[in-house]
Amino acid sequence: MTIRIAVIGAGLMGADHAKIVAEELPGATLQLVCDMDEQRARRVADACGAFDIATDPKGSIARHDVDALIIASPDFTHAPLSMACIAAGKRVLCEKPLSQSSADCVAVMEAEQKAGAKFVQLGFMRRYDRSYKEMKRALQEGRLGRALMMHNFHRNVETPAADFTGAMAITNSAPHEFDVVRYVLGTEYASISAFQPSRSDARVAPVVMVLETVDGQLVNIEINNNAGYGYDVRAELVGERATVATNNVAYTRMESALTQTTSYDADWRTRYYDAYRRQNRDFLRFAITGEFPATASNCWDGYCAAVVAEAGVQALREGRRSPVQMIAKPEFYA
C-alpha cells in the first residue's frame, strides 16, 4: 500500500519534510507540495520529485489523490488546517504549535473527539531524539531515583526576525522544551515564572523560566535567541541518586596551535534530522493503520504547550509567578 502525502508549506520545514517523504519513507509518495508562493512550491517539488504542486491548502486537503498531509505552513494556519484534515478524514502531521491560542487547541480537540478517532499527530520531534529517550528510560528504570530538577537551555545564533520579542521566545521557541520536559518527567506544570536580563544592545535578551510541576519538581528553561556562537540545545535531569545529561553532537574535533575545537550547527536541522525521520516514519504507520504512535504528541499535548506558554507570557509581562491552569484531560486522550 502506497500512501500519497501532501506537504503544505514549502519553507525550510516544508522542504525538509518533503525530502524525508521522497527519500526516507518506503511506502509513501510525495504527491503534492502546496504553498501560496507557486514558484517556491515548484522549486521544492522539482527538487524532491513531487507529482504536483498547488497554492490552495484547503483544496489540497480535499483532493482525492491525497491520502495524508504534513502541515508546515505558518503557525496561525495550523489549527484551521488541522480541522480541515479532520473534517476530510485524513491523518495529518502538524508542525508545532498546534496553535499559540489554547482556545484554538480546545476547538481542534473537540473536532477530533467528535470525529471519534485521532487524526492529528503534532510535530514535537524531540520525543524521537535519542538523547531524550535515553534520559526518560534512565528515569523509568529507577537509575536516577526520584527526579528533582531538570535544567534546559535552547540557544540560537540570532533571532529569526528583527521584531522578535521575549514573549515570542516563550510562544515560539520554548514549546519544544515545555513538551519534552513533560515527556521525560511524565508530569504537568503547576506554575511558571519568567525573567529577562538586560543586554547592552537592542537585541532581544534571553528569557529564563522557572516552572514547578504538580509532582514538586523544579524545571528551569533558558531561551537565548541571540547566543551568537551557534545552535545549542542541552538538558540535564537531576535525581536523588544520579544525574543524566544530553551531549552536544559533534562528529569531529580539530586540534591545532595548542587548542582543541569542536563546531556547532547553524540551526536545528542537522541536530534533529534523525528525530524528524523517526517521527515521520511513525506518522506513515499512523496514516496506514490508524493506530496513534506511542511516542508521538497529540492535540492534548499541543493544548498543554499553549497553556504553559500563555501563562509564561503573563508571568514575563507582569513580573510575577503565574499558575498553569488547564482543563481536565479528556478521556479520549488518556
Side-chain angles (χ1 to χ4, degrees):
M1 180 180 181
T2 297
I3 296 294
R4 299 165 294 183
I5 296 178
V7 174
I8 298 178
L12 287 178
M13 288 307 311
D16 283 353
H17 279 296
K19 184 176 187 293
I20 291 171
V21 172
E23 300 179 3
E24 307 279 358
L25 297 186
T29 297
L30 182 60
Q31 186 73 7
L32 176 71
V33 175
C34 174
D35 195 278
M36 293 184 69
D37 183 334
E38 184 174 357
Q39 291 185 341
R40 186 162 65 175
R42 175 59 68 190
R43 283 195 299 271
V44 173
D46 289 347
C48 298
F51 180 77
D52 199 4
I53 66 167
T55 58
D56 175 17
K58 289 191 175 179
S60 299
I61 293 168
R63 284 178 53 150
H64 296 298
D65 61 347
V66 168
D67 302 311
L69 298 101
I70 297 175
I71 295 174
S73 46
D75 291 0
F76 69 89
T77 69
H78 291 183
L81 292 181
S82 292
M83 293 182 73
C85 290
I86 295 169
K90 297 180 180 180
R91 262 78 194 193
V92 56
L93 172 60
C94 178
E95 267 301 329
K96 69 87 186 167
L98 180 58
S99 175
Q100 292 183 3
S101 162
S102 61
D104 287 348
C105 294
V106 169
V108 179
M109 284 195 293
E110 289 173 346
E112 199 171 49
Q113 291 173 82
K114 185 177 180 180
K118 293 184 177 72
F119 285 91
V120 183
Q121 178 179 333
L122 196 57
F124 282 124
M125 84 296 172
R126 287 200 203 167
R127 293 176 175 226
Y128 289 89
D129 181 69
R130 180 171 173 176
S131 60
Y132 290 104
K133 292 183 79 67
E134 290 184 5
M135 183 178 284
K136 182 178 178 70
R137 188 179 308 120
L139 179 62
Q140 289 177 326
E141 292 175 353
R143 287 180 279 156
L144 308 181
R146 171 175 165 75
L148 299 175
M149 299 177 290
M150 193 165 173
H151 308 297
N152 310 266
F153 63 78
H154 177 153
R155 297 171 180 167
N156 295 313
V157 177
E158 60 184 356
T159 51
D163 59 350
F164 203 82
T165 65
M168 291 169 68
I170 296 172
T171 60
N172 183 268
S173 302
H176 272 305
E177 321 304 320
F178 297 152
D179 181 75
V180 82
V181 170
R182 290 179 59 250
Y183 169 71
V184 170
L185 296 181
T187 189
E188 301 292 357
Y189 300 110
S191 68
I192 182 171
S193 302
F195 313 90
Q196 271 188 294
S198 298
R199 283 185 63 108
S200 62
D201 55 26
R203 293 190 173 191
V204 64
V207 176
V208 177
M209 289 158 277
V210 179
L211 299 98
E212 299 166 82
T213 75
V214 296
D215 293 325
Q217 295 122 344
L218 291 178
V219 176
N220 67 277
I221 298 172
E222 171 203 318
I223 304 294
N224 186 352
N225 291 108
N226 284 299
Y229 66 90
Y231 179 78
D232 190 7
V233 172
R234 279 178 267 172
E236 180 185 26
L237 176 57
V238 180
E240 290 181 335
R241 295 200 305 269
T243 69
V244 57
T246 64
N247 291 324
N248 181 51
V249 178
Y251 295 102
T252 60
R253 69 176 183 271
M254 178 174 288
E255 295 169 335
S256 174
L258 304 181
T259 63
Q260 184 183 92
T261 60
T262 57
S263 61
Y264 286 94
D265 293 322
D267 60 31
W268 71 92
R269 289 177 293 168
T270 301
R271 169 66 180 84
Y272 289 112
Y273 187 73
D274 284 342
Y276 279 110
R277 287 194 303 170
R278 295 186 189 103
Q279 169 193 258
N280 289 20
R281 287 171 183 166
D282 251 10
F283 174 62
L284 177 60
R285 285 190 287 270
F286 176 40
I288 293 171
T289 66
E291 183 176 346
F292 196 84
T295 299
S297 53
N298 56 35
C299 291
W300 169 255
D301 300 306
Y303 164 78
C304 292
V307 170
V308 178
E310 288 172 341
V313 170
Q314 181 183 39
L316 182 65
R317 182 179 63 246
E318 298 180 0
R320 64 177 179 85
R321 176 172 168 266
S322 294
V324 176
Q325 298 174 316
M326 299 195 301
I327 63 173
K329 186 175 183 177
E331 184 66 27
F332 185 83
Y333 296 104

